[in-house]
Amino acid sequence: MFSNFIVAVSAVVPIFVLIGIGLLVQRAHLLTKEELAHTNRLVFRVFFFFTLFSNIYNADFADGFNPRLMLFGAAAVTLLFLGGLAFSCLFEPLRKRRGAMTQAIFRSNFIILGLPLVVNIFGEDGALMPTMMVAVIIPLYNIYAVLALETFRGGTFRLLPILRGVLKNPMIDGMLLGFLCRLLPFPLPDPLLRPLMQVGAATTPLALIILGASFRRGGISESRRDLWACVFIRLIAAPALVLTAAALLGFRGVEFVTLLAIFATPCAVASYAMAQQMGSDAALAGNTVVFTSALSCFTIFGWIFLTKTLGLF
């Protein structure tokens, strides 16, 4: 039992120490809102690009490619998306809030919090399987988010612009470049490859510090009921359903923890920007990010400790 406790602590504490450093950066006013926005854009467009590139370029695909896991992950995201649509329509009469609620239910912070979680438990060798899942999960997140937000603001869902947007996603582009470089008849020279790897290695600490520095408290009185419903579903109900199904289907080890990293992590930071840009309730979207991120230090620890005790990894 104590060893399981240590595993859970070792997985969660490093992540939230880095977020805590970000909170100190915020309190010291070392970065303005504009500087944070620019740094966030830099992390997303440059650092994540090289992280995914380095993971794919150095990958052993015999160990990482898992069609059964990919199919399960895609099906689970799709079902959560459909469930989020239905729940938001039944629970919230205001159309403006429904898109933000749907995003909060199905879209997690898999890249910033999930990938480091798997690495903290299994080491760098365990990063390949969740990296391969990025190719499935991130496009689905983008497509479903646009579909939900357009639906509830009365817009038109157009598939081709969405697909073009997915192909412009730096994480997808980094993976594609990694695949292309693996096809070359010669390895990349070390003086070129080494700095690319160093940039990729710096991504997680920087992204988590910026996440902590970006936390803002907003008014929640108008949408308190919606907020706490989203928090409960994102951190408790959704992972309970998906992880139970995964356990019953026989997923174990790094497969199971990869699913935990996708479905038990808090709301995606990008959901706030998308809600703001597409006419949804940006305040609600921002609060779901803040509150799920803050509370996930306890819920993620609980899920890891529980599932480790049950022998699922």
Side-chain angles (χ1 to χ4, degrees):
M1 185 70 71
F2 182 72
S3 63
N4 297 338
F5 176 82
I6 294 300
V7 169
V9 169
S10 300
V12 172
V13 168
I15 292 172
F16 290 97
V17 166
L18 290 168
I19 292 175
I21 292 172
L23 290 170
L24 293 176
V25 169
Q26 180 200 74
R27 289 183 64 86
H29 304 290
L30 297 178
L31 293 171
T32 66
K33 288 183 179 180
E34 292 75 18
E35 289 168 339
L36 275 172
H38 288 307
T39 308
N40 257 322
R41 194 173 300 116
L42 173 68
V43 171
F44 180 69
R45 295 190 178 279
V46 177
F47 282 78
F48 277 127
F49 175 91
F50 287 110
T51 294
L52 274 297
F53 166 80
S54 61
N55 285 346
I56 293 298
Y57 184 77
N58 294 311
D60 180 357
F61 289 105
D63 293 331
F65 185 67
N66 190 326
R68 182 169 173 264
L69 182 67
M70 292 178 174
L71 181 61
F72 179 86
V77 169
T78 301
L79 290 174
L80 285 178
F81 165 68
L82 295 174
L85 284 175
F87 177 80
S88 63
C89 288
L90 293 172
F91 192 78
E92 174 53 60
L94 295 178
R95 290 177 62 87
K96 183 177 180 179
R97 292 180 183 168
R98 291 175 180 172
M101 290 185 68
T102 302
Q103 271 203 112
I105 289 169
F106 82 85
R107 192 177 189 185
S108 74
N109 210 349
F110 172 42
I111 297 295
I112 296 179
L113 289 178
L115 287 175
L117 194 67
V118 181
V119 171
N120 287 346
I121 294 174
F122 293 100
E124 292 295 335
D125 293 340
L128 177 57
M129 195 169 291
T131 298
M132 296 295 290
M133 290 294 287
V134 170
V136 177
I137 300 301
I138 298 304
L140 285 179
Y141 278 173
N142 283 290
I143 291 170
Y144 290 158
V146 172
L147 177 57
L149 293 169
E150 287 287 7
T151 297
F152 292 123
R153 79 168 179 178
T156 301
F157 177 74
R158 293 177 295 176
L159 182 60
L160 288 180
I162 292 172
L163 292 178
R164 281 198 297 268
V166 169
L167 291 176
K168 291 179 181 178
N169 187 301
M171 291 174 279
I172 302 300
D173 292 343
M175 295 185 69
L176 292 175
L177 182 62
F179 281 119
L180 290 175
C181 288
R182 286 180 65 99
L183 297 176
L184 294 174
F186 54 86
L188 293 178
D190 188 65
L192 172 63
L193 188 60
R194 191 185 317 119
L196 301 184
M197 300 298 106
Q198 289 171 339
V199 173
T203 301
T204 295
L206 181 57
L208 291 172
I209 289 171
I210 295 302
L211 175 61
S214 301
F215 278 175
R216 293 289 184 274
R217 291 181 298 177
I220 65 171
S221 58
E222 293 184 0
S223 57
R224 181 179 287 117
R225 188 183 71 136
D226 296 341
L227 171 63
W228 291 116
C230 291
V231 169
F232 174 77
I233 295 172
R234 174 71 262 150
L235 297 181
I236 304 296
L241 291 172
V242 175
L243 296 180
T244 298
L248 293 174
L249 290 172
F251 290 106
R252 296 292 186 273
V254 68
E255 293 179 338
F256 186 86
V257 175
T258 296
L259 294 171
L260 189 153
I262 296 170
F263 296 102
T265 43
C267 299
V269 175
S271 61
Y272 168 72
M274 288 193 68
Q276 190 177 48
Q277 294 166 17
M278 297 182 67
S280 188
D281 191 329
L284 175 60
N287 280 323
T288 59
V289 173
V290 170
F291 279 84
T292 57
S293 297
L295 294 173
S296 67
C297 60
F298 305 105
T299 58
I300 291 174
F301 173 86
W303 285 118
I304 293 173
F305 181 74
L306 173 63
T307 54
K308 177 65 175 175
T309 302
L310 294 174
L312 296 173
F313 66 92

